[in-house]
Amino acid sequence: MKTLNLGILAHVDAGKTSLTERLLHDVGVTDQLGSVDAGSTRTDTLALERQRGITIRSAVVSFVLDDVTVNLIDTPGHPDFIAEVERVLGVLDGAVLVISAVEGVQPQTRVLMRTLRRLRIPTLIFINKVDRAGADPERVVRAVAEKLTEAVVAMGSVAAAGTRGAHCTPYGPADVAFTDRLVDLVAGQDDVLLADWVADPSSLSYPRLRRALAARTARALVQPVFAGSAITGAGVDALIAGITELLPTVQGDVDAPVSGTVFAIERGPAGEKIALVRLFAGTIRVRDRVRVGAADAALVTAVRVVADGADVVASTVEAGHIARLWGFTDARIGDPVGVPLGRAGADRHFAPPTLETVVVPARSVDRVALHAALVQLAEQDPLINLRQDDRQHEITVSLYGEVQKEVIQATLADDFGVGVTFRETSTVHVERVCGVGSAVEVIAVAPNPFLATVGLRVAPAPTGAGVSFRLGVELGSMPPAFFAAVEETVRRTLRQGLHGWEVPDCEVTMTHAGYWARQSHSHGTFDKSMSSTAGDFRNLTPLVLMAALTRAGTRVHEPVHRFRLEVPGDVLGTLLPALTRLNVVPTDTVGQGSSYLVSGEIPAGLVHALERRLPALTRGEGVLETEFDSYRPVRGPAPARARWDSNPLDRKEYLLAIVRRVGGR
């Protein structure tokens, strides 16, 4: 049977989960329609999701349409949980982007649509809530064409919009404006169709136009727009028909070598790790040994396949499907399963978190339990970037926003019984290398206390290039394990640069290498004091690297967002000076009738301050959109985030003091 892995995406409160419940009800998976307000939805299973009425974790349900198994993935809409959406994108065959007929195109809608188009994920747009007061689906279709993509076509009309009796009628071959729009879209992208139409317009029959629309939708060249109401069910039948007609299905090769990806990690009732896997090719059976990531092959101990609205025990999972697998104890989100296909769920599609906070246990005796609990949460969401400072006894996590902080706090209390508070949220900066710097420590030459020679050269790399490690010495000059120890330590050390912030983009070249071969006393026992070990290289590398980094120099950069602010025209005169006082830099102001659109740049750390001030500055009528743009050099003194345990500069002074005190090795 063919499969379609379908994502439901939206800005928060656009009705995404309600649409999921309506789809499950209308295709016969559920007898009773689930309600977000009542906390009875099938996909929001966490207690916190039901309490707050928002989706926090992605959830998978399945149903059958004709001869297609649809695995439907409901994703969070709140921007604080964009990491959940990111992990899902790599396993989708198609998507439905939900937009409110009242609020229209919102900030998260823009972010999601840009990403869907960049990844060329076939997408249908569903304008929801046509029964709500203030609904204007025609206005929203125009906004979609203006703000999201011009390649849209409305697939039907809405009557009595804004009332409980709103209903939708699909367009057909008799709707001239609709067929003309189809001709414009499909013939404008296909020379053969265009030539046929020029020679004989009647050659483009309605069935041929629909087939051409489906082909272009499958290639993400066109985004058909449906409208309706998830609550009343209006227009949902047309959307279901569009899913089967317009979105591409897959039928993977079940006999091919196993190839898939881990896109989520869960924990079972006994605390066991469960990997959610999309299988692109092959077949996995219980008791099979399968390679996951860089780890050795693991034994699959149990399989549950998503089917008929739930996950059921199975003996196998085949290509195209999604399953929960037990036995992958070392699995991490984004790990390839079997043969990598170059399509991973952990690919970075959105900006990284730009905020962080220190998590403080309510009781000091809970420190160990807190760390263990956060390790499990970091497995489910690696972007929280768990860091522990053993000297200060502090644990720091990265965040997208304040709501995420509240969810972490509630989860720790409810699931782990650990009460916590948080320090004030701060901005995550990065350090960029300014020039080229080198350093070397030679074995048995003071003040080097380790049996290793390490020389490193550090140079800047283009933004986004990441950290590269190269050898400027002969590969055979040392055992491979020592080179591996140096590279591993280089990457770990660069998580905190001279000012304590991560150094994300640089080139590190090993320029010197040396060791003492394994030596023994005459009676044959190994003598560590005469033989180099990987530990010598792990201890020495940070000292050399930080010395090279000091000579190269680094500059701290802060995250900057682009913003768009729609405000009434009569408040512009007082708003612009207020923005300047907040260190917000407007770069463009455009009149739009009685309102203005102000755009510019704002440091990420000031976004929440602007959001708090905006209602008072605009009489509650300002509409703000922000998105991460880039990292820019900090003006003024560079903020520091140094820690003794992870800053090798402090460690070097400490070690050298010991060397001087004991007279060397």
Side-chain angles (χ1 to χ4, degrees):
M1 181 177 283
K2 298 177 182 178
T3 58
L4 168 62
N5 292 286
L6 179 68
I8 307 291
L9 293 78
H11 185 99
V12 65
D13 290 334
K16 169 183 46 58
T17 299
S18 295
L19 177 60
T20 300
E21 293 298 319
R22 171 60 66 177
L23 291 171
L24 294 177
H25 178 268
D26 286 5
V27 301
V29 171
T30 58
D31 296 327
Q32 186 174 357
L33 192 66
S35 168
V36 174
D37 294 336
S40 58
T41 59
R42 176 67 66 93
T43 54
D44 286 345
T45 56
L46 298 179
L48 192 58
E49 292 178 314
R50 297 180 183 272
Q51 293 169 11
R52 298 185 65 104
I54 61 173
T55 300
I56 297 171
R57 293 278 181 257
S58 298
V60 184
V61 290
S62 180
F63 53 86
V64 176
L65 287 177
D66 298 332
D67 62 341
V68 177
T69 297
V70 178
N71 296 320
L72 191 151
I73 308 176
D74 182 23
T75 63
H78 198 287
D80 281 15
F81 307 108
I82 193 67
E84 281 290 312
V85 181
E86 179 170 82
R87 289 187 280 276
V88 167
L89 289 174
V91 303
L92 295 183
D93 304 311
V96 174
L97 179 64
V98 184
I99 304 175
S100 169
V102 180
E103 288 80 11
V105 175
Q106 296 173 278
Q108 190 77 345
T109 317
R110 293 175 182 265
V111 174
L112 293 170
M113 190 66 203
R114 275 198 297 268
T115 306
L116 290 168
R117 294 188 67 194
R118 185 173 69 249
L119 298 177
R120 303 189 71 81
I121 296 176
T123 303
L124 306 182
I125 296 173
F126 184 72
I127 300 176
N128 191 27
K129 302 185 179 182
V130 298
D131 59 319
R132 282 259 311 273
D136 189 347
E138 292 184 0
R139 169 181 57 82
V140 177
V141 172
R142 292 193 298 270
V144 168
E146 294 172 1
K147 300 178 180 181
L148 301 183
T149 171
E150 295 180 355
V152 295
V153 54
M155 301 299 291
S157 61
V158 180
T163 71
R164 192 68 174 177
H167 58 279
C168 308
T169 304
Y171 290 135
D175 296 291
V176 177
F178 173 61
T179 55
D180 287 346
R181 177 60 176 158
L182 288 183
V183 171
D184 289 342
L185 279 177
V186 301
Q189 299 175 355
D190 189 312
D191 292 341
V192 174
L193 289 176
L194 180 59
D196 289 349
W197 180 82
V198 171
D200 180 10
S202 64
S203 65
L204 295 189
S205 64
Y206 185 72
R208 186 180 180 189
L209 286 175
R210 296 288 298 213
R211 290 194 298 271
L213 175 64
R216 279 148 187 78
T217 303
R219 293 167 57 195
L221 299 175
V222 177
Q223 287 76 39
V225 180
F226 297 83
S229 169
I231 298 299
T232 68
V236 175
D237 54 347
L239 175 64
I240 292 174
I243 289 172
T244 57
E245 176 194 5
L246 301 174
L247 292 180
T249 58
V250 296
Q251 191 162 13
D253 185 352
V254 298
D255 297 320
V258 168
S259 182
T261 184
V262 177
F263 70 92
I265 295 291
E266 297 177 348
R267 288 280 177 174
E272 73 276 18
K273 182 181 287 188
I274 306 170
L276 270 73
V277 173
R278 161 72 194 270
L279 196 60
F280 297 111
T283 301
I284 295 178
R285 302 171 181 83
V286 175
R287 310 305 295 175
D288 279 354
R289 287 195 170 273
V290 182
R291 186 178 180 85
V292 181
D296 294 334
L299 180 68
V300 178
T301 58
V303 174
R304 295 183 72 93
V305 178
V306 179
D308 298 325
D311 62 325
V312 297
V313 176
S315 59
T316 63
V317 55
E318 296 181 342
H321 290 276
I322 290 174
R324 289 177 168 85
L325 302 181
W326 278 255
F328 294 167
T329 55
D330 295 324
R332 298 175 301 175
I333 289 175
D335 277 350
V337 177
V339 180
L341 276 184
R343 185 183 182 186
D347 289 345
R348 176 60 51 80
H349 307 306
F350 302 107
T354 57
L355 304 172
E356 67 178 8
T357 185
V358 174
V359 188
V360 182
R363 303 183 308 167
S364 59
V365 295
D366 286 338
R367 292 188 185 279
V368 174
L370 172 61
H371 183 264
L374 286 173
V375 166
Q376 288 197 25
L377 294 185
E379 288 179 346
Q380 300 171 15
D381 183 1
L383 292 183
I384 70 172
N385 192 26
L386 180 66
R387 296 186 300 106
Q388 178 167 334
D389 176 1
D390 293 328
R391 187 187 185 201
Q392 300 293 335
H393 303 293
E394 293 180 347
I395 301 176
T396 303
V397 295
S398 298
L399 303 168
Y400 276 103
E402 295 298 316
V403 173
Q404 188 181 7
K405 183 193 293 185
E406 297 173 17
V407 169
I408 291 174
Q409 184 178 42
T411 302
L412 290 172
D414 296 343
D415 296 353
F416 300 95
V418 178
V420 299
T421 58
F422 296 92
R423 302 267 178 84
E424 183 178 357
T425 303
S426 58
T427 304
V428 177
H429 296 69
V430 299
E431 294 181 46
R432 299 206 180 280
V433 179
C434 299
V436 178
S438 300
V440 61
E441 293 282 354
V442 179
I443 193 169
V445 176
N448 180 6
F450 304 108
L451 295 184
T453 293
V454 174
L456 298 172
R457 181 174 64 248
V458 177
T463 300
V467 175
S468 64
F469 179 79
R470 303 173 180 175
L471 292 182
V473 296
E474 290 291 335
L475 184 60
S477 60
M478 285 199 317
F482 293 169
F483 285 120
V486 172
E487 180 176 1
E488 174 191 341
T489 307
V490 162
R491 296 185 183 279
R492 186 176 65 248
T493 303
L494 288 175
R495 294 173 186 169
Q496 285 196 311
L498 302 179
H499 300 276
W501 305 105
E502 182 179 1
V503 183
D505 304 303
C506 67
E507 297 176 356
V508 180
T509 303
M510 190 168 188
T511 58
H512 297 75
Y515 74 107
W516 280 358
R518 184 182 180 92
Q519 300 181 53
S520 304
H521 292 291
S522 56
H523 48 76
T525 59
F526 169 65
D527 188 348
K528 165 63 182 71
S529 67
M530 301 166 56
S531 309
S532 300
T533 67
D536 287 301
F537 289 89
R538 292 192 183 96
N539 285 318
L540 181 59
T541 296
L543 313 183
V544 177
L545 179 59
M546 297 306 284
L549 205 59
T550 301
R551 290 170 182 146
T554 66
R555 186 171 183 181
V556 177
H557 287 56
E558 65 179 344
V560 175
H561 286 221
R562 297 290 304 176
F563 75 87
R564 290 164 50 91
L565 176 57
E566 295 182 22
V567 298
D570 60 332
V571 306
L572 186 65
T574 58
L575 175 69
L576 292 179
L579 293 178
T580 302
R581 289 193 295 272
L582 285 171
N583 292 323
V584 178
V585 182
T587 57
D588 195 19
T589 303
V590 179
Q592 296 181 332
S594 61
S595 64
Y596 280 90
L597 176 63
V598 182
S599 57
E601 300 174 351
I602 177 173
L606 298 178
V607 170
H608 292 292
L610 178 58
E611 291 173 339
R612 290 193 298 267
R613 293 285 306 278
L614 192 60
L617 293 172
T618 63
R619 301 192 306 272
E621 299 180 43
V623 179
L624 176 67
E625 299 178 11
T626 66
E627 62 176 315
F628 174 81
D629 181 51
S630 62
Y631 285 93
R632 310 286 172 82
V634 170
R635 298 174 183 175
R641 189 186 63 174
R643 295 283 189 269
W644 181 91
D645 65 299
S646 53
N647 187 340
L649 286 180
D650 295 334
R651 193 189 315 165
K652 183 174 184 179
E653 293 302 319
Y654 174 75
L655 289 171
L656 293 181
I658 291 179
V659 170
R660 287 191 293 269
R661 185 166 64 249
V662 300
R665 197 174 182 85

